[in-house]
Amino acid sequence: MDIRPFIDSTYLKTASQAVLDENQNQLVVETFIREAIEERFKLIMIRPEMVAIAKKMITESESNLQIGTVIDFPQGQSSIEEKLREAIQAIADGADELDFVCNYEAFKNGNVDLVKEEILRGTQLALDNNKIIKWIIEVAALGDKQIIQLSALIKNVVMANFKESDYAAVFVKSSTGFYQTSNNEPNGATIPSVIMMIENASPLSVKAAGGVRTYEDAVEMIKLGVKRIGTSAAKAIVNGENNKNEY
């Protein structure tokens, strides 16, 4: 199976997280972008401040590589207005896809109306600009019941407010890859969490991010029904090599 159409090659570390200076970290990002162009991946997923750089490189290479970026990453607790401002800037810089971190803490605390509003307004902004949007729910921070409820909430907001033809542009995504778990528990996509997402987000698509470490893992996720996979070891996974990266 050719899994390239499902792969979002991902690098989301800040310089401090990578223990590099800013110039060194930018070089790493540029390496990821160049690799994604050469490997003909579907998309490169990078931080908002790197989008303009990616756009320039892709244009110069005459590549069809798409650019994805994250919004309110990784905590997801900024105001709706702050999220929208960040998204508008990312669109101006050339982003094709916007992965918003859902305010899952607000959801856990019972502030469902706030979550509904950010889903509605964020999705509206993306669709108005012909962009794909993915809502990151951070499965490692949620119990099974919460995964089910939040996936269903996103689906219900989209189905109540947008046309059926819009559904393909809206995803529910598992993880940021930066959530700190205890006892070395998984902080990314797992088979059980992905099954719950697929069952409760449909007809929206699901993106599995984090935890997909081998070609076999990727194929298993695709067979479950996942439409996109986020990984920082895209080339290794596609080529059947061992992935030593955390994400």
Side-chain angles (χ1 to χ4, degrees), residues 166-187:
D166 294 325
Y167 298 170
V170 187
F171 284 66
V172 180
K173 176 179 172 181
S174 64
S175 317
T176 64
F178 285 79
Y179 185 77
Q180 297 296 314
T181 59
S182 58
N183 303 320
N184 293 318
E185 294 175 355
N187 75 339

Side-chain angles (χ1 to χ4, degrees), residues 5-234:
F6 296 87
I7 296 295
D8 291 356
S9 182
T10 303
Y11 185 80
L12 295 171
K13 289 183 178 179
T14 62
S16 61
Q17 287 167 342
V19 196
L20 300 170
D21 65 34
E22 294 293 342
N23 289 333
Q24 290 171 328
N25 201 48
Q26 180 173 321
L27 289 175
V28 173
V29 174
E30 291 174 359
T31 298
F32 267 77
I33 297 166
R34 198 171 297 112
E35 177 187 272
I37 292 170
E38 292 170 353
E39 293 291 324
R40 299 190 302 279
F41 293 139
K42 181 178 182 67
L43 178 137
I44 183 74
M45 177 62 60
I46 49 178
R47 297 183 73 90
E49 62 268 23
M50 299 294 180
V51 169
I53 294 167
K55 187 66 175 179
K56 181 174 184 293
M57 292 176 65
I58 291 166
T59 300
E60 291 174 349
S61 300
E62 298 181 348
S63 169
N64 293 321
L65 180 69
Q66 299 286 286
I67 302 169
T69 194
V70 287
I71 304 299
D72 197 17
F73 188 86
Q75 301 297 330
Q77 296 179 40
S78 297
S79 70
I80 296 170
E81 297 302 333
E82 288 172 313
K83 289 187 176 189
L84 296 178
R85 280 195 294 272
E86 187 175 15
I88 290 167
Q89 184 61 56
I91 291 169
D93 288 343
D96 300 294
E97 302 193 4
L98 305 169
D99 289 24
F100 279 69
V101 182
C102 183
N103 195 333
Y104 58 89
E105 288 295 345
F107 175 78
K108 289 166 66 176
N109 291 331
N111 195 348
V112 175
D113 287 343
L114 184 150
V115 178
K116 284 182 177 179
E117 185 180 356
E118 73 172 15
I119 293 165
L120 175 61
R121 295 180 65 188
T123 302
Q124 187 72 67
L125 174 68
L127 296 178
D128 284 349
N129 287 276
N130 299 311
K131 306 302 180 184
I132 285 176
I133 183 168
K134 308 187 200 82
W135 288 100
I136 305 173
I137 65 172
E138 200 68 278
V139 292
L142 305 174
D144 290 355
K145 184 177 180 181
Q146 292 168 328
I147 293 171
I148 290 168
Q149 291 174 331
L150 187 49
S151 298
L153 185 150
I154 295 168
K155 171 191 69 177
N156 291 337
V157 170
V158 172
M159 293 184 71
N161 293 281
F162 302 99
K163 303 187 299 293
E164 186 174 350
S165 57
D166 294 325
Y167 298 170
V170 187
F171 284 66
V172 180
K173 176 179 172 181
S174 64
S175 317
T176 64
F178 285 79
Y179 185 77
Q180 297 296 314
T181 59
S182 58
N183 303 320
N184 293 318
E185 294 175 355
N187 75 339
T190 63
I191 296 295
S193 63
V194 164
I195 290 172
M196 285 184 281
M197 291 169 65
I198 290 170
E199 288 179 346
N200 293 279
S202 179
L204 307 185
S205 295
V206 167
K207 174 176 174 177
V212 181
R213 306 194 185 284
T214 66
Y215 171 84
E216 290 75 20
D217 288 344
V219 170
E220 185 173 13
M221 288 290 183
I222 293 165
K223 286 181 177 178
L224 285 176
V226 163
K227 300 302 182 185
R228 301 284 277 280
I229 294 169
T231 174
S232 58

